[in-house]
Amino acid sequence: MTKRSVNRHFIPYVIASEVRPWQSPKSESETASCLAVTFWKQLSPILLFLVVASCAPKENTLTIATAANMQFAMNALVEAYEAETETDCEIILGSSGKLTAQIQQGAPYDLFFSADTKFPKALQVSGNTIGQPAIYAQGQLVLWSMKENLLVSLDQLSSEEVSHIALANPKTAPYGLAAEEVLKRLNLNEANESKFVFGESISQVNQFIISQAAEMGFSAKSVVLSPNMSDQGNWITIADSLHSPINQAMVILKNDRGLGKEAEAFATFVRSEKGLSILRNFGYK
């Protein structure tokens, strides 16, 4: 069977709060919140249709909203699942908080794989889910650096060699919250606050680390163990005792796409021995 590439998108939700990128603007006031009104006026109806359609989930394609820490692991899960079932899947990456906001505003996703349990529970309370969230993995936090000859340790964060420390936004990214807990527990937060560089998700944090815009940063173990990154830089695993457990939950989402059975089948696959084995390969417990 021919190996297919996994569809993956970053939904540009920071552009607008009112206009959803998978829907056509319905008025000039709505359009203005996304882009300049004049820009939309210049678009032909055909081009406008293509722009909107490119952001919408494909029919009969399972759309999986995925926390950024799961990027590489989800790629592997989807590839294995597609090979077994020939079901097309599309991965939407973002921070857990941003994805939750999108879902609550009507984003037509079929499943949500969060980096915590709080956001899936919030979706259940708001009536956006089918059934209850289920924990699929426990993540691990790492401290990572691409700087050669730089000792990677928590103590080193306070040294003059480190001017920037990357971590995800604690309000929207559970791994950022875990990093904040570590810093506060070790009394490293206030002393190093001026060094912090916040990313909207682990993906952006990784960009800061890889580009060396930050000398060190807190990321997910699943990232440093991925095939693309396993030989890049130096990292240490942060002890679980220094932060709350990073229990990660998934939930099937309520929508009118008619793919409930397909979503349940994928969730079952993730919980199967094959799915759990893939997750363990990326450092999840």
Side-chain angles (χ1 to χ4, degrees), residues 78-102:
V78 164
E79 286 181 6
Y81 186 70
E82 286 186 337
E84 281 191 8
T85 66
E86 298 187 357
T87 300
D88 290 327
C89 299
E90 186 171 14
I91 301 171
I92 310 296
L93 289 174
S95 69
S96 297
K98 291 289 186 180
L99 291 171
T100 297
Q102 292 173 22

mmCIF file of all heavy atoms in Angstrom, residues 78-102:
data_model
loop_
_atom_site.group_PDB
_atom_site.id
_atom_site.type_symbol
_atom_site.label_atom_id
_atom_site.label_comp_id
_atom_site.label_asym_id
_atom_site.label_seq_id
_atom_site.Cartn_x
_atom_site.Cartn_y
_atom_site.Cartn_z
ATOM 1 N N VAL A 78 -1.638 8.398 13.194
ATOM 2 C CA VAL A 78 -2.471 8.535 12.002
ATOM 3 C C VAL A 78 -1.931 7.685 10.851
ATOM 4 O O VAL A 78 -2.698 7.026 10.137
ATOM 5 C CB VAL A 78 -2.580 10.017 11.600
ATOM 6 C CG1 VAL A 78 -3.104 10.153 10.168
ATOM 7 C CG2 VAL A 78 -3.499 10.752 12.552
ATOM 8 N N GLU A 79 -0.632 7.689 10.673
ATOM 9 C CA GLU A 79 -0.045 6.876 9.599
ATOM 10 C C GLU A 79 -0.362 5.398 9.801
ATOM 11 O O GLU A 79 -0.711 4.691 8.857
ATOM 12 C CB GLU A 79 1.464 7.105 9.530
ATOM 13 C CG GLU A 79 1.851 8.454 8.939
ATOM 14 C CD GLU A 79 3.355 8.655 8.866
ATOM 15 O OE1 GLU A 79 4.094 7.678 9.172
ATOM 16 O OE2 GLU A 79 3.796 9.760 8.523
ATOM 17 N N ALA A 80 -0.241 4.930 11.044
ATOM 18 C CA ALA A 80 -0.526 3.523 11.333
ATOM 19 C C ALA A 80 -2.017 3.229 11.141
ATOM 20 O O ALA A 80 -2.387 2.181 10.584
ATOM 21 C CB ALA A 80 -0.112 3.189 12.772
ATOM 22 N N TYR A 81 -2.861 4.151 11.563
ATOM 23 C CA TYR A 81 -4.308 3.940 11.447
ATOM 24 C C TYR A 81 -4.754 3.982 9.992
ATOM 25 O O TYR A 81 -5.570 3.158 9.559
ATOM 26 C CB TYR A 81 -5.046 5.004 12.262
ATOM 27 C CG TYR A 81 -6.536 4.777 12.331
ATOM 28 C CD1 TYR A 81 -7.060 3.719 13.061
ATOM 29 C CD2 TYR A 81 -7.425 5.625 11.661
ATOM 30 C CE1 TYR A 81 -8.427 3.508 13.134
ATOM 31 C CE2 TYR A 81 -8.790 5.421 11.729
ATOM 32 C CZ TYR A 81 -9.282 4.361 12.465
ATOM 33 O OH TYR A 81 -10.637 4.139 12.520
ATOM 34 N N GLU A 82 -4.258 4.909 9.237
ATOM 35 C CA GLU A 82 -4.619 4.996 7.819
ATOM 36 C C GLU A 82 -4.179 3.752 7.063
ATOM 37 O O GLU A 82 -4.878 3.274 6.165
ATOM 38 C CB GLU A 82 -3.993 6.237 7.192
ATOM 39 C CG GLU A 82 -4.663 7.538 7.593
ATOM 40 C CD GLU A 82 -4.112 8.740 6.855
ATOM 41 O OE1 GLU A 82 -2.959 8.666 6.381
ATOM 42 O OE2 GLU A 82 -4.826 9.744 6.731
ATOM 43 N N ALA A 83 -3.023 3.214 7.427
ATOM 44 C CA ALA A 83 -2.529 2.004 6.761
ATOM 45 C C ALA A 83 -3.435 0.811 7.043
ATOM 46 O O ALA A 83 -3.604 -0.066 6.190
ATOM 47 C CB ALA A 83 -1.103 1.703 7.227
ATOM 48 N N GLU A 84 -4.023 0.765 8.229
ATOM 49 C CA GLU A 84 -4.900 -0.347 8.607
ATOM 50 C C GLU A 84 -6.313 -0.205 8.049
ATOM 51 O O GLU A 84 -6.944 -1.189 7.668
ATOM 52 C CB GLU A 84 -4.984 -0.459 10.131
ATOM 53 C CG GLU A 84 -3.793 -1.125 10.783
ATOM 54 C CD GLU A 84 -4.064 -1.444 12.243
ATOM 55 O OE1 GLU A 84 -5.217 -1.287 12.698
ATOM 56 O OE2 GLU A 84 -3.111 -1.869 12.937
ATOM 57 N N THR A 85 -6.811 1.009 8.012
ATOM 58 C CA THR A 85 -8.235 1.219 7.723
ATOM 59 C C THR A 85 -8.525 1.973 6.436
ATOM 60 O O THR A 85 -9.663 2.009 5.984
ATOM 61 C CB THR A 85 -8.891 1.996 8.876
ATOM 62 O OG1 THR A 85 -8.335 3.326 8.914
ATOM 63 C CG2 THR A 85 -8.640 1.310 10.206
ATOM 64 N N GLU A 86 -7.510 2.618 5.866
ATOM 65 C CA GLU A 86 -7.686 3.473 4.688
ATOM 66 C C GLU A 86 -8.622 4.647 4.972
ATOM 67 O O GLU A 86 -9.232 5.217 4.062
ATOM 68 C CB GLU A 86 -8.182 2.671 3.481
ATOM 69 C CG GLU A 86 -7.207 1.591 3.025
ATOM 70 C CD GLU A 86 -7.631 0.923 1.725
ATOM 71 O OE1 GLU A 86 -8.713 1.251 1.213
ATOM 72 O OE2 GLU A 86 -6.860 0.093 1.225
ATOM 73 N N THR A 87 -8.728 5.022 6.238
ATOM 74 C CA THR A 87 -9.501 6.201 6.630
ATOM 75 C C THR A 87 -8.616 7.433 6.529
ATOM 76 O O THR A 87 -7.515 7.457 7.074
ATOM 77 C CB THR A 87 -10.011 6.069 8.080
ATOM 78 O OG1 THR A 87 -10.849 4.916 8.185
ATOM 79 C CG2 THR A 87 -10.781 7.304 8.505
ATOM 80 N N ASP A 88 -9.082 8.440 5.832
ATOM 81 C CA ASP A 88 -8.312 9.677 5.719
ATOM 82 C C ASP A 88 -8.449 10.490 6.998
ATOM 83 O O ASP A 88 -9.552 10.650 7.532
ATOM 84 C CB ASP A 88 -8.798 10.511 4.533
ATOM 85 C CG ASP A 88 -8.437 9.874 3.197
ATOM 86 O OD1 ASP A 88 -7.377 9.224 3.126
ATOM 87 O OD2 ASP A 88 -9.211 10.022 2.240
ATOM 88 N N CYS A 89 -7.324 11.013 7.477
ATOM 89 C CA CYS A 89 -7.323 11.818 8.693
ATOM 90 C C CYS A 89 -6.610 13.139 8.436
ATOM 91 O O CYS A 89 -5.666 13.205 7.654
ATOM 92 C CB CYS A 89 -6.613 11.085 9.832
ATOM 93 S SG CYS A 89 -7.364 9.510 10.316
ATOM 94 N N GLU A 90 -7.076 14.165 9.109
ATOM 95 C CA GLU A 90 -6.456 15.481 9.031
ATOM 96 C C GLU A 90 -6.176 15.971 10.436
ATOM 97 O O GLU A 90 -7.058 15.930 11.302
ATOM 98 C CB GLU A 90 -7.367 16.463 8.303
ATOM 99 C CG GLU A 90 -6.732 17.816 8.062
ATOM 100 C CD GLU A 90 -7.569 18.693 7.141
ATOM 101 O OE1 GLU A 90 -8.749 18.363 6.919
ATOM 102 O OE2 GLU A 90 -7.039 19.704 6.651
ATOM 103 N N ILE A 91 -4.938 16.418 10.673
ATOM 104 C CA ILE A 91 -4.511 16.856 12.000
ATOM 105 C C ILE A 91 -4.522 18.380 12.061
ATOM 106 O O ILE A 91 -3.952 19.044 11.204
ATOM 107 C CB ILE A 91 -3.100 16.328 12.332
ATOM 108 C CG1 ILE A 91 -3.071 14.799 12.285
ATOM 109 C CG2 ILE A 91 -2.652 16.831 13.706
ATOM 110 C CD1 ILE A 91 -1.670 14.221 12.388
ATOM 111 N N ILE A 92 -5.172 18.917 13.092
ATOM 112 C CA ILE A 92 -5.178 20.353 13.343
ATOM 113 C C ILE A 92 -4.366 20.590 14.614
ATOM 114 O O ILE A 92 -4.731 20.109 15.684
ATOM 115 C CB ILE A 92 -6.607 20.896 13.548
ATOM 116 C CG1 ILE A 92 -7.538 20.437 12.422
ATOM 117 C CG2 ILE A 92 -6.586 22.414 13.679
ATOM 118 C CD1 ILE A 92 -7.189 20.953 11.055
ATOM 119 N N LEU A 93 -3.264 21.310 14.519
ATOM 120 C CA LEU A 93 -2.372 21.523 15.654
ATOM 121 C C LEU A 93 -2.585 22.878 16.304
ATOM 122 O O LEU A 93 -2.890 23.869 15.628
ATOM 123 C CB LEU A 93 -0.915 21.423 15.211
ATOM 124 C CG LEU A 93 -0.377 20.045 14.835
ATOM 125 C CD1 LEU A 93 1.043 20.180 14.283
ATOM 126 C CD2 LEU A 93 -0.396 19.102 16.018
ATOM 127 N N GLY A 94 -2.409 22.925 17.617
ATOM 128 C CA GLY A 94 -2.495 24.183 18.348
ATOM 129 C C GLY A 94 -2.339 23.934 19.834
ATOM 130 O O GLY A 94 -2.177 22.801 20.273
ATOM 131 N N SER A 95 -2.386 24.999 20.609
ATOM 132 C CA SER A 95 -2.380 24.817 22.055
ATOM 133 C C SER A 95 -3.748 24.295 22.480
ATOM 134 O O SER A 95 -4.756 24.523 21.806
ATOM 135 C CB SER A 95 -2.082 26.142 22.767
ATOM 136 O OG SER A 95 -3.159 27.050 22.610
ATOM 137 N N SER A 96 -3.799 23.595 23.602
ATOM 138 C CA SER A 96 -5.062 23.025 24.071
ATOM 139 C C SER A 96 -6.113 24.110 24.291
ATOM 140 O O SER A 96 -7.293 23.938 23.958
ATOM 141 C CB SER A 96 -4.833 22.242 25.368
ATOM 142 O OG SER A 96 -3.966 21.150 25.144
ATOM 143 N N GLY A 97 -5.692 25.240 24.852
ATOM 144 C CA GLY A 97 -6.622 26.318 25.114
ATOM 145 C C GLY A 97 -7.175 26.941 23.848
ATOM 146 O O GLY A 97 -8.375 27.237 23.755
ATOM 147 N N LYS A 98 -6.320 27.178 22.862
ATOM 148 C CA LYS A 98 -6.765 27.765 21.598
ATOM 149 C C LYS A 98 -7.706 26.813 20.867
ATOM 150 O O LYS A 98 -8.724 27.242 20.302
ATOM 151 C CB LYS A 98 -5.555 28.087 20.717
ATOM 152 C CG LYS A 98 -4.684 29.215 21.221
ATOM 153 C CD LYS A 98 -5.371 30.557 21.078
ATOM 154 C CE LYS A 98 -4.437 31.690 21.454
ATOM 155 N NZ LYS A 98 -5.073 33.011 21.331
ATOM 156 N N LEU A 99 -7.384 25.531 20.852
ATOM 157 C CA LEU A 99 -8.250 24.555 20.188
ATOM 158 C C LEU A 99 -9.608 24.479 20.872
ATOM 159 O O LEU A 99 -10.645 24.366 20.212
ATOM 160 C CB LEU A 99 -7.577 23.182 20.173
ATOM 161 C CG LEU A 99 -6.349 23.049 19.272
ATOM 162 C CD1 LEU A 99 -5.647 21.709 19.513
ATOM 163 C CD2 LEU A 99 -6.726 23.179 17.802
ATOM 164 N N THR A 100 -9.604 24.544 22.201
ATOM 165 C CA THR A 100 -10.862 24.527 22.938
ATOM 166 C C THR A 100 -11.735 25.717 22.549
ATOM 167 O O THR A 100 -12.950 25.579 22.331
ATOM 168 C CB THR A 100 -10.597 24.549 24.458
ATOM 169 O OG1 THR A 100 -9.891 23.351 24.822
ATOM 170 C CG2 THR A 100 -11.884 24.622 25.255
ATOM 171 N N ALA A 101 -11.125 26.891 22.445
ATOM 172 C CA ALA A 101 -11.873 28.085 22.051
ATOM 173 C C ALA A 101 -12.455 27.926 20.651
ATOM 174 O O ALA A 101 -13.606 28.305 20.392
ATOM 175 C CB ALA A 101 -10.969 29.314 22.110
ATOM 176 N N GLN A 102 -11.679 27.347 19.746
ATOM 177 C CA GLN A 102 -12.161 27.129 18.383
ATOM 178 C C GLN A 102 -13.368 26.190 18.372
ATOM 179 O O GLN A 102 -14.366 26.436 17.687
ATOM 180 C CB GLN A 102 -11.035 26.553 17.525
ATOM 181 C CG GLN A 102 -9.891 27.519 17.274
ATOM 182 C CD GLN A 102 -8.729 26.853 16.567
ATOM 183 O OE1 GLN A 102 -8.893 25.832 15.913
ATOM 184 N NE2 GLN A 102 -7.549 27.423 16.714
#
